[in-house]
Amino acid sequence: EEQEEDVLRELRLFLRNVTERLSLDRRFKAFTKPVDIEEVPDYMLVIRKPMDLSTLLTNIDEQKYVTVGEFVSDADLIWQNALEYNPDSDPMDRHIRHRACALKDTVRAIIRDELDEDFERVCEEVKESR
Ligand SMILES: COC(=O)[C@H](Cc1ccco1)c1ccncc1
C-alpha cells in the first residue's frame, strides 16, 4: 500500500546516493561501466554475472531492489568479478585488485554508517509480504 511505496522510494533515494558517490570516486573509474567486450573478448566466458556501477543505477531505477541486502549482493559482484578476472601478480592485476578491495570496504563502511537497521528491517518485511 502507500506506506510500502514510501519506504521503497526512500530506499531508492539512499541507493542512488550511495551509487553516485561510488561513481565519483576516482579509484573506482574501472567499475563505472561494463567491461568492454571488444577490448576483453573472453570476459563473458570467465565472468558469469558482469556488474558495474552504471548497471546498479539502472537496476535501482527499474525498482529491482526491495532491500539494501539485494543491492549489496549485486554491488559485491563488481569487486568479486574484478578479483576473479584479474588474479595475476603483474602490477596491472594487483592495481585493480587493490581498488576492488577498496570498493568492498567502502560499500560496507557506508552501509554500516548510514543505513538505519530499523529501516532495513521494514524493507525486509515488505519483501516477505510480496
Ligand atoms: C573491472 O575492470 C576489469 O576487470 C578490466 C579487465 C580488463 C583487462 C584488460 C582490459 O580490461 C580492467 C580494467 C582496468 N584495469 C584492469 C582490469
Side-chain angles (χ1 to χ4, degrees):
E1 79 265 12
E2 197 41 46
Q3 291 86 325
E4 285 196 3
E5 283 318 305
D6 293 340
V7 167
L8 296 183
R9 197 173 305 109
E10 183 170 352
L11 173 67
R12 291 194 295 274
L13 288 170
F14 172 70
L15 297 181
R16 279 193 201 94
N17 175 264
V18 172
T19 306
E20 280 156 6
R21 286 151 61 187
L22 295 172
S23 304
L24 292 172
D25 189 318
R26 297 203 327 260
R27 293 175 297 173
F28 306 144
K29 180 102 175 69
F31 306 127
T32 54
K33 295 288 181 190
V35 170
D36 183 342
I37 301 306
E38 268 84 66
E39 193 182 336
V40 197
D42 73 331
Y43 191 78
M44 298 296 277
L45 301 177
V46 177
I47 298 301
R48 289 290 169 233
K49 203 168 176 232
M51 189 50 63
D52 69 280
L53 294 168
S54 72
T55 302
L56 281 185
L57 221 42
T58 301
N59 290 349
I60 293 164
D61 291 346
E62 293 178 349
Q63 310 199 12
K64 174 181 176 185
Y65 307 121
V66 178
T67 69
V68 175
E70 292 175 334
F71 167 85
V72 170
S73 293
D74 275 357
D76 283 350
L77 288 170
I78 300 172
W79 57 263
Q80 290 162 346
N81 292 344
L83 297 184
E84 182 181 347
Y85 187 78
N86 305 283
D88 302 335
S89 68
D90 71 76
M92 274 285 289
D93 280 30
R94 288 199 167 140
H95 202 47
I96 192 80
R97 290 203 304 272
H98 182 73
R99 290 169 162 171
C101 294
L103 178 65
K104 171 187 179 182
D105 294 342
T106 304
V107 171
R108 265 153 188 72
I110 290 174
I111 300 299
R112 183 201 60 217
D113 294 348
E114 301 179 27
L115 173 65
D116 183 307
E117 56 191 32
D118 291 336
F119 179 79
E120 174 65 358
R121 245 193 300 277
V122 172
C123 294
E124 300 284 355
E125 270 145 35
V126 170
K127 181 178 166 183
E128 299 319 311
S129 77
R130 297 196 164 186

